[in-house]
Amino acid sequence: MSISDWFKAREARRYTAVNGERVAGDVPDGVWNKCSSCKRIVYEGQLVANLRVCPYCGNHFDLTAFERIDLLADPGSFAEFDAGVGSTDPLGFVAAKPYTVSLESARERSGLTEGVVVGRATIGDHPVVLGAMDFRFIGASMGSAVGEKIARSFEVATSERRAVVLCTASGGARMQEGMLSLMQMAKTSAAARRLAEARLPYISVLTNPTMGGVTASFAVLADVVLAEPGALIGFAGPRVIEQTIKQHLPKGFQSSEYLLEHGMVDEVVVRGQLTARVTTLLGYLAGGGEQA
Amino acid sequence: MTRRHVMEFERPLVELEAKLGELRQLDLTANPELAAEVAALAVEIEALRESTYADLSAWDRVQISRHPDRPKAQDYLAAIFTDVVELHGDRCYGDDEAIVAALATIDGRRVAVLGHRKGKNTRENIARNFGMAHPEGFRKAMRIMRLAEKFGLPLVTLIDTPGAFPGIEAEERGQAWAIAESLALLSGLRVPVVAVGIGEGGSGGALAIGFGDRLIMLENSYYSVISPEACASILHKDAGKAAEVATCLAMTATDLVGLGIVDEIIPEPVGGAHRDPGEVFGAVRGRVSEALKALSGRDPDELVSMRYAKLRAVGVIEEVQG
């Protein structure tokens, strides 16, 4: 037995204890994840059954765009649009590796064309445009294509009188498209404003992490801003701030709970209650009120 | 003689100029050979001066845009506007000196002016946080935008910031929220908006007051999604590669005209705006006035939908039919 095999065997010995209820299904036995927060081992089946929330400490694992959509949309109601909209490499950007290579490998890895998936759906029978960002795709950073899909989402909703529900997760503006990316902040904010002028509701769900140019544009322009527990949300990244002020940051800085305390988000909602909460909110905001 | 700030790329030229200066102090009447050499050196320097400033890289321009003597927003306010009334405070938290807000008159036209404000010296720069605004700065800017809209005053903005301030208090008070709201407000403002890049255009903090119906840039100003240093340290783990990255980021005025983001470029004197501020003030006044004249009398609905169409057109995408 080599040393590395011995370590593997020891890992297996140490962690068999948490092998609790297995969930039947197509998940192979023995696939496990280590919770980044409590460091315990969670079996894939358990995680799926618990909406990818750690059953021990409540840590919310990342969701892919389609996992997020499955969570929120009424079953079978989601119809994606603009699935083929993708960024190109308008600047011929090469740093460390060419942008075209980053794009290609992100597409291969995620099976997506870009960092956000958008479509028509219903949530609790309310017609909406629903979008979810996918952090696996170059950190779901916003370049021309993400900006375009978000702007079109607001436009489709405005012309079809739908509400908009967007789940964000992003490192910020996509550096590799330079100013074209920065301008998407203004473009998406302008589109969000037009939806607001049409008095249609917009609910955003900020998930881990939502940073930079995405936070500082459409993500926080919603009528109601929700956040998932423990998400990192902010403008400047924690490392940039530490380097600037030459101080360590307080514990929990830029977390959902911290932002709730500072009046920046309306509510921190656990994943298991998210769909119900969004449905209730849509009832209030999309119901027309008394003056309709 | 005051010490002159020397930029990296002009160092060889400045050193030669200094040597020539010293040689010219000497009495050369008794030494015609040396006199001839001095004359030759002067010719050489002239050629070097031409080539040094002829073909500036993006990184050279970044240095010019950050030059301590480069005219600042307050210099433009003093030089090209009259009857300036500065307004203070966001009515919420405080008065952020990193943003200057004023009512002012340009060529007889009453306008509102917003600008990022850097200092001229260390003391001023500390008070103004080197032109890096906190949320209250952007909220002050929004107050002035609403004021301009309410009373039908066109808005002129002067862009010159390394970026919005990355700090604990800025995050606590909602830096992202303030910028996002400013973007939304500016995009739908029912008066003409003319934005002028006069120095640094650093990311979201610049954009918050940095777009409109016309976006004009001085030749050596830059506008970028991220500072070249930060981009280099993220992508190369080496801030020293900033020069290389600056070219990649397409952040110069010429690059941005090519991308359809910037409408026009105002040329600067050889070596940069600080070499002849008077000339630059004159050019900026002329172009801003012309832009305001062209936009005046437009129906507000038309103005706002034109601005939206302009923003909407920015981006390069491909559409694969699925």
Side-chain angles (χ1 to χ4, degrees), chain B residues 283-310:
Chain B
V284 171
R285 173 166 52 205
R287 296 293 192 91
V288 170
S289 283
E290 269 171 44
L292 289 171
K293 193 174 164 201
L295 293 165
S296 94
R298 287 268 171 87
D299 172 58
D301 287 331
E302 186 198 341
L303 207 55
V304 170
S305 48
M306 275 172 45
R307 196 179 307 142
Y308 185 69
K310 198 168 142 73

Side-chain angles (χ1 to χ4, degrees), chain A residues 30-52:
Chain A
V31 176
W32 48 266
N33 297 275
K34 189 172 183 177
C35 174
S36 62
S37 174
C38 71
K39 313 291 180 207
R40 285 156 103 166
I41 300 299
V42 189
Y43 280 86
E44 177 68 14
Q46 239 180 325
L47 204 52
V48 170
N50 206 30
L51 306 172
R52 305 198 82 79

Side-chain angles (χ1 to χ4, degrees), chain A residues 84 86 148 155 235-236 254 258, chain B residues 171-172 308 312 314 318 320:
Chain A
E148 181 68 21
E155 287 172 346
F235 177 65
Q254 294 182 316
Y258 170 93
Chain B
E171 296 290 318
E172 253 174 27
Y308 185 69
R312 207 53 199 79
V314 178
E318 58 180 4
V320 183

Side-chain angles (χ1 to χ4, degrees), chain B residues 69-280:
Chain B
D69 300 334
R70 189 170 177 83
K72 308 285 190 284
Q74 60 273 24
D75 300 322
Y76 287 91
L77 261 176
I80 70 179
F81 295 91
T82 54
D83 287 332
V84 176
V85 182
E86 192 182 339
L87 302 174
H88 294 275
D90 70 342
R91 300 294 187 271
C92 234
Y93 180 82
D95 183 41
D96 190 343
E97 289 195 41
I99 297 276
V100 60
L103 299 175
T105 304
I106 178 167
D107 284 347
R109 193 182 302 273
R110 291 188 186 91
V111 298
V113 183
L114 284 171
H116 301 98
R117 178 161 54 185
K118 291 180 177 175
K120 281 278 186 196
N121 52 48
T122 310
R123 196 182 52 80
E124 278 185 6
N125 262 321
I126 288 169
R128 293 162 188 178
N129 201 27
F130 297 84
M132 294 183 283
H134 280 73
E136 51 272 25
F138 299 118
R139 292 185 176 124
K140 166 160 107 176
M142 281 188 262
R143 225 194 97 216
I144 270 56
M145 289 177 198
R146 291 195 190 96
L147 190 73
E149 184 175 63
K150 183 174 176 182
F151 296 104
L153 299 170
L155 178 66
V156 177
T157 74
L158 304 168
I159 308 158
D160 188 15
T161 179
F165 187 64
I168 293 180
E169 295 190 333
E171 296 290 318
E172 253 174 27
R173 298 199 285 270
Q175 188 71 290
W177 279 253
I179 293 171
E181 282 158 16
S182 191
L183 296 176
L185 180 60
L186 191 53
S187 75
L189 210 66
R190 295 170 63 79
V191 290
V193 180
V194 176
V196 189
I198 57 169
E200 293 192 85
S203 193
L207 189 66
I209 63 165
F211 68 97
D213 304 305
R214 291 278 188 286
L215 178 51
I216 304 169
M217 277 177 77
L218 289 189
E219 186 187 348
N220 296 312
S221 61
Y222 79 82
Y223 209 158
S224 180
V225 67
I226 185 170
S227 79
E229 290 93 335
C231 186
S233 66
I234 292 170
L235 294 178
H236 290 286
K237 316 276 176 239
D238 178 7
K241 298 219 166 153
E244 196 180 302
V245 168
T247 307
C248 275
L249 282 168
M251 56 204 273
T252 67
T254 313
D255 292 330
L256 297 173
V257 167
L259 291 172
I261 293 169
V262 167
D263 300 298
E264 48 183 311
I265 303 175
I266 297 178
E268 292 183 29
V270 173
H274 57 285
R275 294 292 184 92
D276 187 354
E279 184 190 319
V280 177

